[in-house]
Every structure is written in C-alpha cells, then in structure tokens.
C-alpha cells in the first residue's frame, strides 16, 4: 500500500493506494470521513481517502509519499472499524526505490530503442525491466523503482508490458528521482560500481 499526504496540494486528505485498477471502471462508497474506492465489477478495493485526517493524526506531515508509524496505522484501522468497514490497511516497509545491478541486457524484438534487462534488486531477486534509456547496458549499477513505488512526481510504478514484453519496474534517471542538479539529457543514473545492491535510494540526498 502507498500512503500519500500533501495538505497544500490536495487538502487535509490521506490517500492510500492499495492496487492498480488497470483501466477498469471504479466506484466509491463513503462513510463518515472515509471513502473507499473499488473496482465496480469485482468490488476489489483499490484505494482509500481519509478526509480531515489531521483531526485524528495530529502529527501527520508530508508532501507526497509518507511512512506511517505503527501508532498512526493503528489509528487508521480504528477509524475504519468505527465506520463499519471490515477491511484494514497495512504497511510493507521494504524499500521500493532501490539500488540494482543490470545482469543482462538485450534488444527488444519489436522495438529499435527499447532493451530488455534482467536486473538484480536485492539478495538474488531479479526483475525483468524494459528500458528505453540510450545508456542502458549490462554491468551497470542503477536505481530501480520496483512495483508499488511512488516517484517524486507522484507517478506510481505498476507491473506491465511494453511492446508485448513484461516489465516489472523502472530503471530511473536522475531527473525522475529528483536528484539535485540532475541533467536534462536522456539517460538512466549510473551509480558507482561499489554501490551495494538493494539499498534504499533517496534522490534528494544524492550528490552528483
């Protein structure tokens, strides 16, 4: 689940993204200050909006994706139960934007500019990621936004396909990561080769 709060931009609302609706028609139901967003046909919950949330979570701050404490999560679930919702929200604390290693890279069979990579993201976990950067190649240390990541600009990364090839994440540029003084030219961010694989990456803290 992705938790996002930006009072200046969207008001005093905590948004919780649970799943990708995948273009399906969605509906919503509201009880009190909570709205549940769900796929119309399957009834699967894809999101929650907690309105006037600062009246419950008085210490909530943020300008985009945020990490909730265990105490804040418990308070949200108490709100859900109090309004008669049977579902609960949970937190996956594993980092979603991490350092990775491009183990292999080959040309996409149906594109003259895309490449298909096998990229390790942590302890042997390898993701197939289709990448269009001109500087992608095997042997690079890179930054990977895994499925479920929210980028600094609010884009959410979901599994998908590019020209018929599965892609489970995004290999990122410095600009996409909001790295200070990021170049405007196309291309992924290349990290020093001694970078540890699987480490959480925060673009605003990185120095080019």
């Amino acid at each position: 689940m992705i938790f996002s709060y930006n009072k200046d931009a969207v008001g005093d609302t905590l948004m919780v993204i649970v799943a990708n609706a995948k273009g399906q028609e969605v509906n919503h139901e509201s009880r009190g200050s909570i709205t549940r967003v769900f796929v119309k046909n399957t009834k699967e919950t894809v999101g929650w909006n907690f309105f006037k949330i600062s009246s419950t979570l008085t210490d909530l701050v943020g300008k985009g994706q945020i990490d909730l404490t265990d105490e804040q999560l418990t308070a949200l679930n108490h709100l859900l139960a109090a309004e008669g919702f049977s579902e609960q929200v949970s937190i996956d604390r594993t980092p979603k934007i991490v350092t990775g290693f491009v183990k292999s890279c080959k040309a996409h069979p149906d594109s003259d500019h895309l490449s298909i990579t096998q990229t390790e993201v942590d302890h042997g976990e390898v993701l197939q990621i289709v990448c269009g950067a001109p500087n992608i190649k095997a042997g690079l240390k890179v930054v990977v936004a895994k499925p479920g990541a929210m980028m600094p600009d609010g884009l959410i990364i979901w599994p998908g396909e590019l020209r018929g090839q599965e892609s489970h994440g995004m290999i990122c540029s410095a600009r996409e990561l909001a790295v200070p003084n990021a170049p405007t030219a196309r291309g992924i961010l290349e990290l020093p080769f001694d970078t540890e694989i699987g480490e959480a990456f925060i673009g605003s803290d990185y120095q080019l």
Side-chain angles (χ1 to χ4, degrees):
M1 293 187 183
I2 298 171
F3 299 84
S4 180
Y5 183 72
N6 189 332
K7 189 173 183 179
D8 293 338
V10 299
D12 189 21
T13 302
L14 175 66
M15 295 183 291
V16 183
I17 299 94
V18 178
N20 184 5
K22 299 178 182 177
Q24 301 176 88
E25 185 178 357
V26 297
N27 207 336
H28 66 273
E29 62 171 321
S30 297
R31 303 179 189 176
S33 61
I34 303 173
T35 294
R36 170 180 170 256
V37 183
F38 60 92
V39 175
K40 186 175 182 179
N41 290 335
T42 65
K43 309 302 182 186
E44 176 192 5
T45 299
V46 294
W48 300 92
N49 291 326
F50 293 83
F51 299 100
K52 300 179 181 178
I53 191 61
S54 63
S55 62
T56 300
L57 304 184
T58 58
D59 55 348
L60 194 64
V61 295
K63 288 188 178 295
Q65 186 172 10
I66 61 172
D67 294 320
L68 297 183
T69 65
D70 290 341
E71 293 75 15
Q72 290 171 328
L73 184 68
T74 298
L76 287 186
N77 284 325
H78 284 164
L79 283 177
L80 288 169
E83 295 295 349
F85 290 107
S86 60
E87 295 182 58
Q88 300 273 274
V89 294
S90 60
I91 295 178
D92 177 4
R93 298 195 184 280
T94 58
K96 293 292 185 272
I97 300 179
V98 300
T99 53
F101 174 67
V102 183
K103 299 187 72 173
S104 69
C105 180
K106 65 180 182 180
H108 192 295
D110 190 32
S111 171
D112 61 1
H113 71 282
L114 295 175
S115 299
I116 303 170
T117 76
Q118 301 297 323
T119 301
E120 184 176 354
V121 291
D122 191 20
H123 295 96
E125 180 188 2
V126 177
L127 301 177
Q128 176 167 297
I129 300 175
V130 178
C131 180
N135 59 326
I136 186 69
K137 62 182 179 180
L140 291 182
K141 292 288 182 70
V142 294
V143 180
V144 176
K146 299 167 65 176
M150 176 181 278
M151 301 300 291
D153 65 358
L155 174 70
I156 298 174
I157 306 302
W158 302 109
E161 287 188 359
L162 285 172
R163 299 279 185 93
Q165 298 292 322
E166 292 186 359
S167 186
H168 297 274
M170 181 173 75
I171 301 176
C172 306
S173 70
R175 190 174 184 182
E176 289 165 334
L177 295 162
V179 171
N181 303 312
T184 57
R186 291 181 64 241
I188 56 171
L189 176 63
E190 300 182 30
L191 300 176
F193 193 74
D194 60 357
T195 301
E196 290 290 330
I197 300 172
E199 296 293 316
F201 185 91
I202 301 174
S204 59
D205 292 344
Y206 189 76
Q207 299 295 319
L208 287 173

